[in-house]
Coordinates of all heavy atoms in Angstrom, one line a residue:
M1 N 82.0 116.1 60.8 CA 82.6 115.7 62.1 C 83.2 116.9 62.8 O 83.9 117.7 62.2 CB 83.7 114.7 61.8 CG 84.3 114.0 63.0 SD 85.4 112.7 62.6 CE 86.7 113.0 63.7
S2 N 83.0 117.0 64.0 CA 83.5 118.2 64.8 C 85.0 118.0 65.0 O 85.5 116.9 65.3 CB 82.7 118.2 66.1 OG 83.3 119.2 66.9
T3 N 85.6 119.1 65.0 CA 87.1 119.1 65.3 C 87.3 119.7 66.7 O 88.4 119.8 67.1 CB 87.9 119.9 64.3 OG1 87.3 121.2 64.2 CG2 87.8 119.3 62.9
A4 N 86.2 119.9 67.4 CA 86.4 120.5 68.7 C 87.1 119.5 69.6 O 86.9 118.3 69.5 CB 85.0 120.9 69.3
V5 N 87.9 120.0 70.5 CA 88.6 119.1 71.5 C 87.5 118.6 72.5 O 86.8 119.4 73.0 CB 89.7 119.8 72.3 CG1 90.3 119.0 73.3 CG2 90.7 120.3 71.3
R6 N 87.4 117.3 72.6 CA 86.4 116.8 73.6 C 87.1 116.5 74.9 O 88.3 116.2 75.0 CB 85.8 115.5 73.0 CG 86.7 114.3 73.0 CD 86.0 113.2 72.2 NE 87.1 112.4 71.6 CZ 87.5 111.3 72.2 NH1 87.1 110.9 73.4 NH2 88.5 110.5 71.6
A7 N 86.3 116.7 75.9 CA 86.8 116.5 77.3 C 87.0 115.0 77.5 O 86.3 114.2 76.9 CB 85.9 117.0 78.3
S8 N 88.0 114.6 78.3 CA 88.2 113.2 78.6 C 87.0 112.7 79.4 O 86.3 113.4 80.1 CB 89.4 113.1 79.5 OG 89.6 111.7 79.9
A9 N 86.7 111.4 79.1 CA 85.6 110.7 79.8 C 86.1 110.3 81.2 O 85.3 109.8 82.0 CB 85.2 109.5 79.0
F10 N 87.3 110.5 81.5 CA 87.9 110.0 82.8 C 88.3 111.2 83.6 O 88.6 112.3 83.2 CB 89.1 109.1 82.5 CG 88.7 108.0 81.6 CD1 89.0 108.0 80.3 CD2 88.1 106.8 82.2 CE1 88.7 106.9 79.5 CE2 87.8 105.8 81.4 CZ 88.0 105.8 80.0
T11 N 88.3 111.0 84.9 CA 88.7 112.0 85.9 C 90.2 112.3 85.7 O 91.0 111.4 85.6 CB 88.4 111.5 87.3 OG1 87.1 111.1 87.4 CG2 88.8 112.6 88.3
E12 N 90.5 113.6 85.6 CA 91.9 114.0 85.5 C 92.6 113.7 86.8 O 92.1 114.1 87.9 CB 91.9 115.5 85.2 CG 93.3 116.0 85.0 CD 93.4 117.5 84.7 OE1 92.3 118.1 84.4 OE2 94.5 118.1 84.8
P13 N 93.8 113.1 86.7 CA 94.5 112.8 88.0 C 95.0 114.1 88.6 O 95.0 115.2 88.0 CB 95.7 112.0 87.5 CG 95.4 111.6 86.1 CD 94.4 112.6 85.6
E14 N 95.3 114.0 89.9 CA 95.9 115.2 90.6 C 97.1 115.8 89.8 O 97.8 115.0 89.3 CB 96.3 114.8 92.0 CG 96.5 116.0 92.9 CD 96.7 115.5 94.3 OE1 96.0 114.6 94.8 OE2 97.6 116.1 95.0
R15 N 97.2 117.0 89.8 CA 98.3 117.7 89.1 C 99.5 117.8 90.0 O 99.5 118.5 91.0 CB 97.9 119.1 88.6 CG 96.8 119.0 87.6 CD 96.4 120.3 87.1 NE 95.3 120.2 86.1 CZ 94.7 121.2 85.5 NH1 95.0 122.4 85.8 NH2 93.7 121.0 84.6
P16 N 100.6 117.1 89.7 CA 101.8 117.3 90.5 C 102.4 118.7 90.4 O 102.2 119.4 89.4 CB 102.8 116.2 89.9 CG 102.3 115.9 88.6 CD 100.8 116.2 88.6
K17 N 103.2 119.0 91.4 CA 103.7 120.4 91.4 C 104.6 120.7 90.2 O 104.6 121.9 89.8 CB 104.5 120.6 92.7 CG 104.7 122.0 93.2 CD 105.3 122.1 94.5 CE 106.8 121.8 94.4 NZ 107.5 121.9 95.8
N18 N 105.3 119.7 89.7 CA 106.2 120.0 88.6 C 105.7 119.7 87.3 O 106.4 119.6 86.3 CB 107.5 119.2 88.8 CG 107.2 117.7 88.9 OD1 106.1 117.3 88.9 ND2 108.3 116.9 89.0
L19 N 104.3 119.6 87.2 CA 103.6 119.4 85.9 C 103.8 120.7 85.0 O 103.4 121.8 85.4 CB 102.2 119.1 86.1 CG 101.3 118.8 84.9 CD1 101.8 117.5 84.2 CD2 99.9 118.6 85.3
Q20 N 104.3 120.5 83.8 CA 104.5 121.6 82.9 C 103.4 121.7 81.9 O 102.9 122.7 81.5 CB 105.9 121.5 82.2 CG 107.0 121.5 83.2 CD 107.1 122.8 84.0 OE1 107.0 123.9 83.4 NE2 107.3 122.7 85.3
I21 N 103.0 120.5 81.3 CA 102.0 120.4 80.3 C 101.3 119.1 80.5 O 101.9 118.1 80.9 CB 102.6 120.3 78.9 CG1 103.6 121.5 78.6 CG2 101.5 120.3 77.8 CD1 104.4 121.4 77.3
R22 N 100.0 119.1 80.3 CA 99.2 117.8 80.3 C 98.4 117.7 79.0 O 97.6 118.6 78.7 CB 98.3 117.8 81.5 CG 97.4 116.6 81.5 CD 96.7 116.4 82.9 NE 97.7 115.7 83.8 CZ 97.5 115.6 85.1 NH1 96.4 116.1 85.7 NH2 98.4 114.9 85.8
F23 N 98.6 116.6 78.3 CA 97.8 116.4 77.0 C 96.8 115.3 77.3 O 97.1 114.4 78.0 CB 98.8 115.9 75.9 CG 99.8 116.8 75.5 CD1 101.1 116.7 75.9 CD2 99.5 117.9 74.6 CE1 102.1 117.6 75.5 CE2 100.5 118.8 74.2 CZ 101.8 118.6 74.6
V24 N 95.6 115.5 76.7 CA 94.6 114.4 76.8 C 94.9 113.5 75.6 O 95.1 114.0 74.5 CB 93.2 115.0 76.8 CG1 92.8 115.7 75.6 CG2 92.2 113.8 77.1
T25 N 94.8 112.2 75.7 CA 95.1 111.3 74.6 C 93.8 111.0 73.9 O 92.7 111.2 74.4 CB 95.7 109.9 75.1 OG1 94.7 109.2 75.8 CG2 96.9 110.2 76.1
I26 N 93.9 110.3 72.7 CA 92.6 110.0 72.0 C 91.9 108.8 72.7 O 90.7 108.6 72.5 CB 92.9 109.6 70.6 CG1 93.9 108.4 70.5 CG2 93.4 110.8 69.8 CD1 94.0 107.8 69.1
G27 N 92.6 108.1 73.7 CA 91.9 107.1 74.5 C 91.3 107.7 75.7 O 90.6 107.0 76.5
G28 N 91.5 109.0 76.0 CA 90.9 109.6 77.1 C 91.8 109.7 78.3 O 91.3 110.1 79.4
S29 N 93.0 109.2 78.2 CA 93.9 109.3 79.3 C 94.7 110.6 79.2 O 94.3 111.5 78.5 CB 94.8 108.1 79.2 OG 95.6 108.0 80.5
F30 N 95.8 110.6 79.9 CA 96.6 111.9 80.0 C 98.1 111.6 79.8 O 98.6 110.6 80.3 CB 96.3 112.6 81.3 CG 94.9 112.9 81.5 CD1 94.0 112.1 82.2 CD2 94.4 114.1 80.9 CE1 92.7 112.4 82.3 CE2 93.1 114.4 81.1 CZ 92.2 113.6 81.8
V31 N 98.8 112.5 79.2 CA 100.2 112.4 79.1 C 100.8 113.7 79.8 O 100.4 114.8 79.4 CB 100.7 112.4 77.6 CG1 102.2 112.4 77.6 CG2 100.2 111.1 76.9
D32 N 101.6 113.4 80.7 CA 102.2 114.6 81.5 C 103.6 114.9 81.1 O 104.4 114.0 80.8 CB 102.2 114.2 83.0 CG 100.9 114.2 83.7 OD1 99.9 114.5 83.0 OD2 100.8 113.9 84.9
V33 N 103.9 116.1 80.9 CA 105.3 116.6 80.8 C 105.7 117.2 82.1 O 105.0 118.1 82.6 CB 105.4 117.7 79.7 CG1 106.8 118.2 79.7 CG2 105.0 117.1 78.3
I34 N 106.7 116.6 82.7 CA 107.1 116.9 84.0 C 108.5 117.5 84.0 O 109.4 117.0 83.2 CB 107.1 115.7 84.9 CG1 105.6 115.2 85.1 CG2 107.8 115.9 86.3 CD1 105.5 113.8 85.6
G35 N 108.7 118.6 84.7 CA 110.0 119.2 84.7 C 110.1 120.2 85.8 O 109.2 120.3 86.7
R36 N 111.2 120.9 85.8 CA 111.4 121.9 86.9 C 111.1 123.3 86.5 O 111.6 124.2 87.1 CB 112.9 121.8 87.3 CG 113.2 120.4 87.8 CD 114.6 120.3 88.3 NE 115.1 118.9 88.2 CZ 116.4 118.6 88.2 NH1 117.3 119.6 88.1 NH2 116.8 117.4 88.1
G37 N 110.4 123.5 85.4 CA 110.0 124.8 85.0 C 111.1 125.5 84.2 O 111.1 126.7 84.0
E38 N 112.1 124.7 83.8 CA 113.2 125.2 83.0 C 113.0 124.7 81.6 O 112.1 123.9 81.3 CB 114.5 124.7 83.5 CG 114.8 125.1 85.0 CD 115.9 124.4 85.6 OE1 116.8 123.9 84.8 OE2 115.9 124.3 86.8
H39 N 113.8 125.2 80.7 CA 113.6 124.7 79.3 C 114.3 123.4 79.0 O 114.2 122.8 78.0 CB 114.1 125.8 78.3 CG 113.1 126.9 78.3 ND1 111.8 126.8 77.8 CD2 113.2 128.2 78.7 CE1 111.2 128.0 77.9 NE2 112.1 128.8 78.4
F40 N 115.0 122.9 80.0 CA 115.6 121.5 79.9 C 115.2 120.8 81.1 O 114.5 121.3 82.0 CB 117.1 121.6 79.7 CG 117.8 122.4 80.7 CD1 118.5 121.7 81.7 CD2 117.8 123.7 80.8 CE1 119.2 122.3 82.7 CE2 118.5 124.4 81.8 CZ 119.2 123.7 82.8
K41 N 115.7 119.5 81.2 CA 115.4 118.7 82.3 C 113.9 118.4 82.4 O 113.3 118.6 83.5 CB 115.9 119.2 83.7 CG 117.4 119.3 83.7 CD 118.0 119.8 85.0 CE 119.5 119.9 84.9 NZ 120.1 120.4 86.1
N42 N 113.3 117.9 81.3 CA 111.9 117.6 81.3 C 111.8 116.1 80.8 O 112.6 115.6 80.1 CB 111.2 118.5 80.3 CG 111.2 119.9 80.7 OD1 110.5 120.3 81.6 ND2 112.1 120.7 80.1
R43 N 110.7 115.5 81.2 CA 110.4 114.1 80.8 C 108.9 114.0 80.6 O 108.1 114.9 81.1 CB 110.9 113.1 81.8 CG 110.3 113.3 83.2 CD 110.9 112.3 84.2 NE 112.2 112.8 84.5 CZ 113.0 112.1 85.3 NH1 112.6 111.0 85.9 NH2 114.2 112.5 85.6
W44 N 108.4 112.9 80.0 CA 107.0 112.7 79.8 C 106.6 111.3 80.3 O 107.5 110.4 80.3 CB 106.5 113.0 78.4 CG 107.0 112.0 77.3 CD1 108.2 112.1 76.6 CD2 106.4 110.8 76.9 NE1 108.3 111.1 75.7 CE2 107.2 110.2 75.9 CE3 105.2 110.1 77.3 CZ2 106.9 109.0 75.3 CZ3 104.9 108.9 76.7 CH2 105.8 108.4 75.7
K45 N 105.4 111.2 80.7 CA 104.8 109.8 81.0 C 103.4 109.8 80.7 O 102.7 110.8 80.8 CB 105.1 109.5 82.4 CG 104.3 110.2 83.4 CD 104.5 109.7 84.8 CE 103.5 110.4 85.8 NZ 103.6 109.9 87.1
C46 N 102.9 108.6 80.3 CA 101.5 108.4 79.9 C 100.8 107.7 81.0 O 101.2 106.6 81.5 CB 101.4 107.6 78.6 SG 99.7 107.3 78.1
H47 N 99.6 108.2 81.5 CA 98.9 107.6 82.5 C 98.1 106.4 82.0 O 97.7 105.5 82.8 CB 97.8 108.6 83.1 CG 98.4 109.6 84.0 ND1 98.6 109.5 85.3 CD2 99.0 110.8 83.7 CE1 99.1 110.6 85.8 NE2 99.4 111.4 84.9
G48 N 97.9 106.3 80.7 CA 97.1 105.2 80.1 C 97.9 103.9 79.9 O 97.6 102.9 80.5
C49 N 99.0 104.0 79.2 CA 99.8 102.8 78.8 C 101.1 102.7 79.6 O 101.8 101.7 79.4 CB 100.0 102.7 77.3 SG 101.2 103.9 76.8
K50 N 101.4 103.7 80.4 CA 102.6 103.7 81.2 C 103.9 103.9 80.4 O 104.9 103.8 81.0 CB 102.7 102.4 82.1 CG 101.5 101.9 82.8 CD 101.0 103.0 83.8 CE 99.8 102.4 84.6 NZ 99.1 103.5 85.3
A51 N 103.7 104.3 79.2 CA 104.9 104.7 78.4 C 105.5 105.9 79.0 O 104.8 106.7 79.6 CB 104.5 104.9 76.9
A52 N 106.8 106.1 78.8 CA 107.5 107.3 79.3 C 108.7 107.6 78.5 O 109.0 106.9 77.6 CB 107.8 107.0 80.8
S53 N 109.3 108.7 78.8 CA 110.6 109.1 78.2 C 111.5 107.8 78.2 O 111.6 107.2 79.2 CB 111.2 110.2 78.9 OG 110.4 111.3 79.0
Q54 N 112.1 107.6 77.1 CA 112.9 106.3 77.0 C 114.2 106.4 77.8 O 114.6 105.4 78.3 CB 113.3 106.1 75.5 CG 112.2 105.3 74.8 CD 112.7 104.8 73.5 OE1 113.1 105.5 72.6 NE2 112.6 103.5 73.3
F55 N 114.7 107.6 77.9 CA 116.0 107.7 78.6 C 115.8 108.8 79.7 O 116.3 109.9 79.5 CB 117.1 108.0 77.7 CG 117.3 107.0 76.6 CD1 116.9 107.2 75.3 CD2 117.8 105.7 76.9 CE1 117.0 106.3 74.3 CE2 118.0 104.8 75.9 CZ 117.6 105.0 74.6
P56 N 115.1 108.6 80.7 CA 114.7 109.6 81.7 C 116.0 110.2 82.3 O 115.9 111.4 82.8 CB 113.8 109.0 82.7 CG 114.1 107.5 82.5 CD 114.4 107.3 81.1
E57 N 117.1 109.5 82.3 CA 118.3 110.1 82.9 C 118.9 111.2 82.0 O 119.6 112.0 82.4 CB 119.3 109.0 83.2 CG 119.9 108.3 82.0 CD 119.1 107.2 81.4 OE1 117.9 107.0 81.8 OE2 119.5 106.6 80.4
E58 N 118.5 111.1 80.7 CA 118.9 112.1 79.7 C 117.7 113.1 79.6 O 117.0 113.1 78.6 CB 119.3 111.5 78.4 CG 120.5 110.6 78.5 CD 120.8 109.9 77.2 OE1 120.3 110.4 76.1 OE2 121.5 108.9 77.2
E59 N 117.5 113.9 80.6 CA 116.3 114.8 80.5 C 116.5 115.7 79.4 O 117.6 116.1 79.0 CB 116.2 115.5 81.9 CG 116.0 114.5 83.0 CD 116.2 115.2 84.4 OE1 117.2 115.8 84.6 OE2 115.3 115.0 85.2
D60 N 115.3 116.1 78.8 CA 115.3 116.7 77.5 C 114.7 118.1 77.6 O 114.1 118.6 78.5 CB 114.5 115.9 76.6 CG 114.9 116.0 75.1 OD1 115.7 116.9 74.8 OD2 114.5 115.1 74.3
Y61 N 115.0 118.8 76.5 CA 114.5 120.2 76.3 C 113.0 120.2 76.2 O 112.4 119.3 75.6 CB 115.1 120.9 75.1 CG 116.5 121.3 75.4 CD1 117.6 120.4 75.0 CD2 116.8 122.5 76.0 CE1 118.9 120.8 75.3 CE2 118.1 122.9 76.2 CZ 119.2 122.0 75.8 OH 120.5 122.4 76.1
L62 N 112.3 121.2 76.7 CA 110.8 121.3 76.6 C 110.3 121.3 75.2 O 109.3 120.6 74.9 CB 110.4 122.6 77.3 CG 108.9 122.7 77.6 CD1 108.3 121.5 78.4 CD2 108.5 124.0 78.3
F63 N 111.0 121.9 74.3 CA 110.5 121.9 72.9 C 110.5 120.5 72.3 O 109.7 120.2 71.5 CB 111.2 122.9 72.0 CG 112.6 122.5 71.6 CD1 112.9 121.7 70.5 CD2 113.7 122.9 72.4 CE1 114.1 121.3 70.2 CE2 115.0 122.5 72.0 CZ 115.2 121.7 70.9
S64 N 111.4 119.7 72.7 CA 111.5 118.4 72.2 C 110.5 117.4 72.9 O 109.8 116.7 72.2 CB 113.0 117.9 72.4 OG 113.1 116.5 72.0
I65 N 110.5 117.5 74.2 CA 109.6 116.7 75.0 C 108.1 117.0 74.6 O 107.3 116.1 74.5 CB 109.8 116.9 76.5 CG1 111.1 116.2 76.9 CG2 108.7 116.5 77.3 CD1 111.1 114.7 76.9
R66 N 107.8 118.2 74.4 CA 106.4 118.6 74.1 C 106.0 117.9 72.9 O 104.9 117.4 72.8 CB 106.4 120.2 73.9 CG 105.0 120.7 73.6 CD 105.0 122.1 73.1 NE 105.5 123.0 74.1 CZ 106.6 123.7 73.9 NH1 107.4 123.6 72.8 NH2 107.0 124.6 74.8
E67 N 106.8 117.9 71.9 CA 106.4 117.2 70.6 C 106.3 115.7 70.8 O 105.3 115.1 70.3 CB 107.5 117.5 69.6 CG 107.1 117.2 68.1 CD 108.2 117.7 67.2 OE1 108.6 118.8 67.2 OE2 108.7 116.8 66.4
K68 N 107.2 115.1 71.5 CA 107.1 113.7 71.8 C 105.8 113.3 72.6 O 105.1 112.4 72.3 CB 108.3 113.2 72.5 CG 109.6 113.2 71.7 CD 110.8 113.0 72.5 CE 112.1 113.2 71.7 NZ 113.3 113.2 72.6
A69 N 105.5 114.1 73.6 CA 104.4 113.8 74.4 C 103.1 114.0 73.7 O 102.1 113.2 73.8 CB 104.4 114.7 75.7
N70 N 103.0 115.1 72.8 CA 101.8 115.3 72.1 C 101.6 114.3 71.0 O 100.5 113.8 70.7 CB 101.9 116.7 71.4 CG 100.6 117.3 71.0 OD1 99.5 116.8 71.4 ND2 100.6 118.4 70.3
S71 N 102.7 113.8 70.4 CA 102.6 112.7 69.4 C 102.1 111.4 70.1 O 101.3 110.7 69.5 CB 104.0 112.4 68.8 OG 104.4 113.5 68.0
H72 N 102.6 111.2 71.3 CA 102.1 110.0 72.0 C 100.6 110.1 72.3 O 99.8 109.2 72.1 CB 102.9 109.7 73.3 CG 102.5 108.5 74.0 ND1 102.9 107.2 73.6 CD2 101.5 108.3 74.9 CE1 102.3 106.3 74.4 NE2 101.5 106.9 75.2
A73 N 100.2 111.3 72.8 CA 98.8 111.5 73.1 C 97.9 111.4 71.9 O 96.8 110.9 72.0 CB 98.6 112.9 73.7
A74 N 98.4 111.7 70.7 CA 97.7 111.6 69.5 C 97.5 110.1 69.0 O 96.7 109.8 68.2 CB 98.3 112.4 68.4
A75 N 98.3 109.2 69.6 CA 98.4 107.8 69.1 C 97.9 106.8 70.1 O 97.4 105.7 69.8 CB 99.8 107.5 68.7
C76 N 97.9 107.2 71.4 CA 97.7 106.2 72.5 C 96.2 106.0 72.7 O 95.4 107.0 72.9 CB 98.3 106.7 73.8 SG 98.1 105.6 75.1
R77 N 95.8 104.8 72.7 CA 94.4 104.4 72.9 C 94.1 103.8 74.2 O 93.0 103.3 74.5 CB 93.9 103.5 71.7 CG 93.9 104.2 70.4 CD 93.5 103.2 69.3 NE 93.6 103.9 68.0 CZ 92.6 104.7 67.5 NH1 91.5 104.9 68.1 NH2 92.8 105.3 66.3
A78 N 95.1 103.7 75.0 CA 94.9 103.1 76.4 C 94.0 104.0 77.2 O 94.1 105.2 77.2 CB 96.3 102.9 77.0
I79 N 93.2 103.4 78.0 CA 92.4 104.2 79.0 C 93.0 104.1 80.4 O 93.7 103.1 80.7 CB 90.9 103.7 79.0 CG1 90.8 102.2 79.6 CG2 90.2 103.8 77.7 CD1 89.5 101.8 79.9
P80 N 92.8 105.1 81.2 CA 93.4 105.0 82.5 C 92.6 104.0 83.3 O 91.4 103.9 83.3 CB 93.1 106.4 83.1 CG 92.0 107.0 82.3 CD 92.1 106.3 80.9
L81 N 93.4 103.1 84.1 CA 92.7 102.0 84.8 C 92.5 102.4 86.3 O 91.9 101.6 87.0 CB 93.6 100.8 84.7 CG 93.8 100.3 83.3 CD1 94.7 99.0 83.3 CD2 92.4 100.0 82.7
T82 N 93.0 103.6 86.7 CA 92.8 103.9 88.1 C 92.0 105.3 88.1 O 92.0 106.0 87.2 CB 94.1 104.1 88.8 OG1 94.9 105.1 88.1 CG2 94.9 102.8 89.0
Ligands
LIG101 ZN1 100.1 105.9 76.3

């Protein structure tokens, strides 16, 4: 079995200006890490299942959000509906 990263079967949504990282999920959707380009005040959201940072008012450090967003991308099987 190939371990190569496969491209999503779905069209990548437009990239917002404050997009810091975008992960492709195993369902073919995308998880965005959004922030202001600083190491804090970041949040994540999933285009597939609409999950997001649980406490967006408590914006988080990039090293923490990155791990949470990547873990979600590795588990989420929802496909983008738009
Ligand atoms: Zn999701």
Side-chain angles (χ1 to χ4, degrees):
M1 187 174 138
S2 172
T3 56
V5 176
R6 69 191 155 93
S8 174
F10 303 98
T11 304
E12 184 181 346
E14 193 172 319
R15 296 179 180 179
K17 200 173 76 177
N18 58 356
L19 181 65
Q20 301 297 313
I21 306 170
R22 174 166 279 168
F23 295 102
V24 64
T25 73
I26 59 169
S29 190
F30 300 93
V31 176
D32 287 357
V33 173
I34 294 164
R36 300 181 202 159
E38 303 167 22
H39 288 293
F40 58 102
K41 297 184 179 177
N42 298 284
R43 62 185 72 184
W44 67 269
K45 70 171 187 179
C46 178
H47 287 268
C49 72
K50 312 299 183 196
S53 301
Q54 276 194 302
F55 304 103
E57 69 279 5
E58 295 176 17
E59 297 169 309
D60 209 345
Y61 286 93
L62 189 57
F63 74 83
S64 176
I65 285 291
R66 181 192 298 114
E67 193 173 307
K68 292 170 188 170
N70 200 12
S71 294
H72 183 85
C76 183
R77 295 177 183 275
I79 63 169
L81 299 180
T82 55

